[in-house]
Amino acid sequence: MADEKHSAVAPAVDATHNEASEVPSKPGSHQDITIPPPRPPGWMYKGFKVFGHELWYASPLFQLLLVAVVCFMCPGMFNALSGLGGGGQVDHTAQDDANTALYSTFAVVAFFSGSIANKLGVRLTLSFGGLGYVIYIASFFSYNHNQNHGFVVFAGAFLGVCAGLLWTAQGTIMMSYPTEDMKGRYISWFWIIFNLGAVIGSLIPLGQNINKVAGPVTDGTYVGFLVLTLIGAFLALMICDVDKVLREDGSRVIMMKNPSWITEFRGLFETITSEPWVVLLFPMFFASNTFYTYQSNDMNGSQFNTRTKALNNTLYWLAQIFGAIIVGYALDFAGARRSIRAKGSFVMLIVLTMAIWGGGYAWQKDQPTREQTSEEGFVTVDWTDGAKKYVGPMFLYMFYGFFDAAWQTCIYWYMGALSNSGRKAANLAGFYKGLQSAGAAVFWRLDGLKKPFDTIFGATWGLLGGALLIAAPVIWMKIQDTVALEEDLRFSDETAADVAGAEGAAAGQAAQPETVAVGAHGGGSETAKAVV
């Protein structure tokens, strides 16, 4: 590769014949050839502008929006139901046991789901994943009539298998499809649409139970959730597989051309053994869903009446949308280098963890105990109880939602900053969801064992603070301003010509052994260079 950059005239590529014209050059000199990105013909590649970026069916943006709608319908409805406390039931035992089973199977399956997604493709992985949410919602609908505890627990365990696959496919799309300069916004856009599902899903029980202050939610609540999850599971079949996706600059997502079960399970362990410091992020992964237990069951589900916890639930997910917008766009702020943004986001997480959970402690220490809330005749809080009794905890619950969005958005952005490879992103997403689910299983079990509210609160807050301390070296030292294309290609059997698209391959063959600039392939930089 030449040490200095020589100017060159870009080859004109005929989209019909896929041939590059001759490029003027100095005899004996090396040069950078810029490959223009004409798109293959066909309906999948015809679109319009959204968010200032071209949108067509096989574009990263359309695929992100489609997977966001799937998550709007499936996990969004799950979150809306869970946020009611007890899955909408007065007795939380069925949901505690179901969620313990859910997150236990989720933890095991998700750890290997990156390899499964890489082998089967994101479309099949995502579509199978959506089925579990349908069965889970149906089990609570059934429970409302027959109290079939076993069906609810089975549905939770089956959903764990499905959710492990769905969230790994989603993470692969969100982290590896955008260029480096767009990753924060892609995460933000996904989180907005996904949490709109929880907001709208929360409005269903709020409307159904507007005059209800006690008892389980109505059948209509479960039917509404069930219809929406069915639609989401069907939409998952519309997702493109990774090899069909083409960015605006003509580049493609780095994957394995010829994956096998052996190569993918080997790649799973190579993700850790090649960069063992990534395990320092694991406590952040583990902690990232533990707070739902305290927030949904021990705070919202136990201290407020039916209609008020439905309102709290709506405000919680609405706050997540604002959190995703603010944090996602800040992570893509062009006025600072990516390594600086990583450090700034880490400081922000420390401040939010201490401030919001410190405020939570000030509220929690004066609240009734678990035993008191279980006594017959215990009076829960209603939204008409005034500023002192309700407005304060209402805003606290909204800040908890904002914190959740900030924590999850930053984790996804950190993982996306470590690699632009779709294959590695799938494995990292699998590790993330697996450990996240293990943490959730532990805390749902603690709630099922009726541990004191103060104990669960303290364990959650302490875990969050400790996870940040352990993750500090990775965030502070390992996140660089860009990831070189050559680095990502080491984790694949593809070449620079493969990921530059057909036009890049043709130009690369003509240019050998020259250096070929393949555009911002996952990089967001002006040129990403590799010897073809």
Side-chain angles (χ1 to χ4, degrees), residues 448-477:
L449 293 173
K450 312 300 182 186
K451 296 297 180 182
F453 294 156
D454 288 352
T455 299
I456 295 180
F457 175 90
T460 305
W461 189 14
L463 182 59
L464 292 169
L468 286 172
L469 183 65
I470 295 170
V474 176
I475 299 168
W476 216 259
M477 295 184 290

Side-chain angles (χ1 to χ4, degrees), residues 41-119:
W43 66 273
M44 293 181 73
Y45 302 95
K46 296 176 182 177
F48 51 92
K49 292 284 185 178
V50 175
F51 299 127
H53 296 269
E54 198 167 2
L55 178 71
W56 66 93
Y57 193 82
S59 66
L61 181 55
F62 186 91
Q63 293 300 301
L64 174 89
L65 296 178
L66 189 54
V67 76
V69 172
V70 172
C71 291
F72 171 107
M73 298 290 186
C74 294
M77 297 306 108
F78 169 84
N79 284 344
L81 182 64
S82 297
L84 291 172
Q89 299 296 314
V90 175
D91 185 354
H92 297 174
T93 303
Q95 189 198 35
D96 282 335
D97 292 345
N99 282 357
T100 300
L102 188 164
Y103 290 111
S104 297
T105 55
F106 197 157
V108 175
V109 172
F111 200 81
F112 300 97
S113 58
S115 298
I116 296 171
N118 286 331
K119 173 60 179 172

Side-chain angles (χ1 to χ4, degrees), residues 216 282 329 338 387 389 455:
F282 283 7
Y329 275 77
R338 186 167 71 174
K389 197 166 185 180
T455 299

Side-chain angles (χ1 to χ4, degrees), residues 63 66-71 74-75 117 120-133 162-163 165-171 173 190 232-241:
Q63 293 300 301
L66 189 54
V67 76
V69 172
V70 172
C71 291
C74 294
L120 298 182
V122 294
R123 184 177 64 85
L124 290 178
T125 306
L126 194 73
S127 59
F128 179 76
L131 294 176
Y133 293 90
C162 295
L165 298 174
L166 180 141
W167 280 107
T168 299
Q170 175 274 335
I173 292 171
F190 169 82
F234 173 77
L235 282 177
L237 295 170
M238 305 294 107
I239 295 287
C240 285
D241 274 323

